[in-house]
Amino acid sequence: MAHKKGLGAIDETVRFLRAARPEQPLTLSPGMCLAAADHCADQAGGRTGHRRSDQSSAVDRLSRYGIWARLWGENIPYGKTTARAIVLTLIIDYGRLGQPHRKNIFNPNFRYAGAAYGPHALYGSVCTINFASG
């Protein structure tokens, strides 16, 4: 049954993508990339989630490297080895109520992004992607 549910998630994603309108390109933020790299480095030993080992949040990390305004978001996929696999996993967002990762990627209010990728002791790899509206 799980296999059929997984196929249903892919079918739903295809319907979503066919109906989606193009958004403006995101501007790469070097400071947001540094915040993402810090989080990947902190998680290399096997930690997961949005809080660092010192309990700082994504907002704290973003604020260390610049000034952000209004909205922010963060996606953290584990165990993917290519950019394509990372993006597909986040867009399909299987098993996540409300598809929060997909919503971050397609949020028309986000204008800036930063990303980093690194090793992870438990899953092999971790990628952190930060988004901000201003």
Side-chain angles (χ1 to χ4, degrees):
M1 193 66 144
H3 182 66
K4 285 187 178 184
K5 286 182 181 181
L7 291 176
I10 292 170
D11 289 342
E12 186 278 329
T13 301
V14 169
R15 285 191 301 276
F16 169 83
L17 289 172
R18 285 187 175 145
R21 295 183 304 175
E23 298 294 343
Q24 293 296 317
L26 297 167
T27 299
L28 183 65
S29 165
M32 292 173 77
C33 289
L34 291 171
D38 275 359
H39 197 53
C40 287
D42 189 64
Q43 293 198 339
R47 292 183 55 81
T48 60
H50 294 278
R51 291 222 173 249
R52 285 178 49 100
S53 56
D54 66 4
Q55 294 305 304
S56 62
S57 67
V59 169
D60 297 326
R61 291 189 301 278
L62 290 171
S63 296
R64 285 183 192 133
Y65 293 102
I67 299 169
W68 62 274
R70 296 183 298 273
L71 301 174
W72 65 272
E74 183 173 70
N75 290 350
I76 310 173
Y78 298 90
K80 304 303 173 199
T81 58
T82 67
R84 178 186 171 103
I86 289 167
V87 171
L88 286 174
T89 297
L90 295 171
I91 291 173
I92 295 169
D93 216 5
Y94 180 64
R96 297 283 186 169
L97 186 61
Q99 286 116 0
H101 299 117
R102 180 192 296 175
K103 285 180 179 173
N104 280 342
I105 291 172
F106 288 93
N107 187 330
N109 297 307
F110 287 147
R111 298 285 185 245
Y112 301 90
Y117 180 87
H120 191 271
L122 185 59
Y123 294 108
S125 65
V126 58
C127 176
T128 299
I129 306 168
N130 295 122
F131 303 90
S133 59

